[in-house]
Amino acid sequence: MSLFLKVARQDNYLYYIFFKTLLETGMRKGEAAALQRKDIDLKNNYININKSLDFQVKEGEDVFGETKTYESERRIKISNSLSRELTAHMNYLNDNRIVFNGFMNMNWIFF
């Protein structure tokens, strides 16, 4: 594990899993932030990229938008290691559902 990820894990678990996903997949931050459970196939170790989160959304607009380009919609193979960590992360979200209630949509992987 890189020093960056070690420090991120010590500082904040949610930063760690977000950055680990970015580093291992090459996704843009908006693509990762828009990930929902239905976009991740843990059985076959794939992530489907089909939307992006707009960090500069105006009031009344949808926070999800299209990917940067048409070619940005893709299916990414993920490592067994990342698949295991994302499984653990989704279990963490389930276990802490009451704590996060009101702060996140439980379908989102990162919030």
Side-chain angles (χ1 to χ4, degrees), residues 33-99:
L35 281 179
Q36 295 176 294
R37 291 174 188 263
K38 66 183 179 184
D39 300 323
I40 300 177
D41 178 352
L42 294 169
K43 181 178 177 184
N44 297 304
N45 292 351
Y46 281 99
I47 294 177
N48 294 302
I49 306 300
N50 51 38
K51 61 191 163 302
S52 184
L53 183 71
D54 185 351
F55 290 98
Q56 298 177 344
V57 69
K58 295 183 176 90
E59 189 174 333
E61 293 181 354
D62 193 2
V63 295
F64 292 113
E66 296 179 2
T67 55
K68 188 172 181 179
T69 67
Y70 176 76
E71 293 81 21
S72 294
E73 287 195 22
R74 61 206 183 277
R75 186 175 187 204
I76 300 173
K77 180 79 173 158
I78 59 174
S79 68
N80 289 332
S81 169
L82 182 58
S83 181
R84 282 190 303 275
E85 290 210 50
L86 287 172
T87 298
H89 176 62
M90 287 190 254
N91 290 336
Y92 168 80
L93 292 175
N94 287 338
D95 292 345
N96 291 284
R97 176 181 22 222
I98 293 172
V99 174

